[in-house]
Amino acid sequence: MSGQLDETRRGERLRMVEEQLLARGITHEKVLRAMRDVPRHAFVPDAYRSAAYEDRPLPIGHGQTISQPYMVATMTAALDLDQTNRVFEIGTGCGYQAAVLAQLSEEVISFEWVSDLAATAREALRVLGIDNVRVYAGDGSCGLKDGKLYDRIIVTAGAPQVPPEVRAQLADRGRLVIPLGSRHHQEITVLRRIGHDYEEERREGCVFVPLQGRYGW
Ligand code: SAH
């Protein structure tokens, strides 16, 4: 669970939730609550702090971005989290999505390809007292070597396919959310595992930075 979150700029978060999320049909109360609580501005570089609650992605360095609030909410809602879930995230970036997931689950294990970003994300989470996220630097597309199954898996970079080792780590009745498609355009895709079968549902279009590593571009 998270400790003390930063209460400043709460008014801007309430407006973000009203105008960007509720107005576009996101009604999952738990997701809305997490996004009212997590201080997005604490995850963006100083130069973009004033823009932290705007309706768009923002640069976080190394050619990467923090996703638009609406996209974070959409993917989080699609995961349909339960407080007991263990979550595997690929693409920590600045750590904002991980912080939102952490409010709604037991534990988040997050992998980030760029080690500088992993370090910055770790520090932002520490400062906010969010202690149920573990951030590792490395290629998350190869899955985790812990041999465990995860209830929920989220990939926050655009991918040409579901990385097979990652898919194999999805627990029965689990859900995996990933932007699948071409390098420049993807669709939010939800995979549900039922025994040995996977049901795939394609949702809205999106544009994410490309997945790197073994199963990336
Ligand atoms: N969830 C993030 C979004 C970050 S953008 C947030 O809230 O800010 C996607 C991130 O995925 C980038 O930081 C990129 O470096 C990372 N990434 C791309 N391919 C990866 C891989 N194979 N393993 C781990 N991280 C990866």
Side-chain angles (χ1 to χ4, degrees), residues 27-38:
T27 53
H28 294 63
E29 198 37 60
K30 289 192 293 187
V31 176
L32 300 176
R33 178 173 27 91
M35 293 194 58
R36 286 186 194 106
D37 286 345
V38 176

Side-chain angles (χ1 to χ4, degrees), residues 40 43 58 60-67 72 89-99 110-114 117 136-142 154-158 208-216:
R40 183 170 162 93
F43 292 90
L58 295 168
I60 55 171
H62 302 272
Q64 307 303 325
T65 54
I66 174 174
S67 305
V72 173
E89 178 187 39
I90 298 169
T92 320
C94 64
Y96 174 67
Q97 170 80 71
S110 186
F111 260 69
E112 172 51 49
W113 177 257
V114 180
L117 288 176
Y136 298 99
D139 182 4
S141 79
C142 297
I154 176 170
V155 181
T156 64
F208 276 76
V209 295
L211 184 71
Q212 312 283 336
R214 176 136 152 67
Y215 293 102

Side-chain angles (χ1 to χ4, degrees), residues 66-87:
I66 174 174
S67 305
Q68 178 194 20
Y70 173 72
M71 209 31 86
V72 173
T74 298
M75 292 185 88
T76 309
L79 277 176
D80 194 22
L81 289 161
D82 183 283
Q83 205 69 51
T84 62
N85 288 157
R86 299 180 68 243
V87 186

Side-chain angles (χ1 to χ4, degrees), residues 10 12 15 52 65 67 86 95 104 111 126 137 154 186-187 203 212:
R10 191 167 183 89
E12 287 174 83
R15 203 159 58 238
T65 54
S67 305
R86 299 180 68 243
L104 305 174
F111 260 69
R126 188 193 65 75
I154 176 170
Q186 307 89 33
E187 284 169 331
R203 298 197 183 170
Q212 312 283 336

